[in-house]
Amino acid sequence: NDDPTLRMGIMVDISGSMSSAMEAMATTAWVMSEAGRRVQAKTAMVYYGSDVFPTLKVGQKLDKVSVYSAPDGTEKFGKAFNALDGSLNLTYGDGVRMLVVVSDGHYTSTETENAKATARLCRENGVALLWITPKACGRGSGTQILDGYGVLLEEMETDQIAIAIGKAASLALQKSANY
């Protein structure tokens, strides 16, 4: 790719079933903020539940780790992806692009279809996709949503999620380049 700029969007499900992952995700947001700043990446992160909440905006540097709660009873996956895509141009942008989703994938039928459509869109446009389901959230629906594309990390210990993103990111990028 001619443009080496990394564009990374991170989506974190904040429905009630994800409450055990919030501390790990707060740390991940800070780590991604710092790592993105150091490599001049364009990084953004949103939490999504009954609405979408920006956690890390493009160009923002987080000075501290801020832990959020996960009280929501539903997930707005499609709206969350659109927010990230709008700020990062993941779908049709240039450079290296990656979407990281932290969720158990237990959605309404409409949001399940939105998630599947997003996975197909990533596949068609060379966007690396990494889906992580924390162990405490139980077995997720990532396999059905990804349909063979991307990298799926299930039953991750929450204290290992930030490390797992770093390790699996290179695999997801490699897989998207070869697809």
Side-chain angles (χ1 to χ4, degrees):
N1 204 326
D2 292 338
D3 182 358
T5 301
L6 171 62
R7 298 170 193 267
M8 183 166 16
I10 304 166
M11 298 172 52
V12 180
D13 177 352
I14 59 167
S15 64
S17 62
M18 296 294 294
S19 61
S20 63
M22 292 301 98
E23 190 170 318
M25 291 319 304
T27 302
T28 299
W30 184 87
V31 168
M32 299 310 291
S33 160
E34 188 62 23
R37 186 185 64 77
R38 290 183 184 190
V39 299
Q40 298 174 343
K42 294 181 178 178
T43 306
M45 182 173 182
V46 297
Y47 284 2
Y48 65 102
S50 58
D51 205 351
V52 177
F53 310 95
T55 308
L56 175 65
K57 296 177 184 176
V58 176
Q60 182 181 11
K61 179 183 184 300
L62 298 179
D63 294 323
K64 63 180 183 165
V65 175
S66 299
V67 180
Y68 294 84
S69 62
D72 290 7
T74 190
E75 306 83 4
K76 297 295 184 190
F77 186 96
K79 188 174 180 180
F81 176 72
N82 289 339
L84 281 178
D85 195 25
S87 67
L88 291 169
N89 198 12
L90 290 173
T91 305
Y92 302 110
D94 51 9
V96 181
R97 296 159 290 138
M98 172 179 266
L99 176 64
V100 178
V101 179
V102 181
S103 176
D104 56 13
H106 297 299
Y107 304 144
T108 64
S109 58
T110 299
E111 294 306 328
T112 296
E113 287 307 311
N114 285 337
K116 288 178 178 181
T118 296
R120 284 190 300 272
L121 196 60
C122 287
R123 176 186 298 151
E124 293 165 3
N125 291 287
V127 179
L129 179 56
L130 173 57
W131 191 287
I132 300 171
T133 301
K135 184 175 185 174
C137 300
R139 198 80 158 151
S141 299
T143 301
Q144 294 82 10
I145 291 170
L146 294 178
D147 192 28
Y149 184 70
V151 173
L152 174 64
L153 298 175
E154 286 191 300
E155 299 190 45
M156 293 295 309
E157 294 290 348
T158 54
D159 62 346
Q160 296 298 309
I161 290 174
I163 295 167
I165 287 174
K167 288 181 179 178
S170 63
L171 179 60
L173 289 167
Q174 191 174 41
K175 193 171 183 177
S176 71
N178 294 326
Y179 208 86

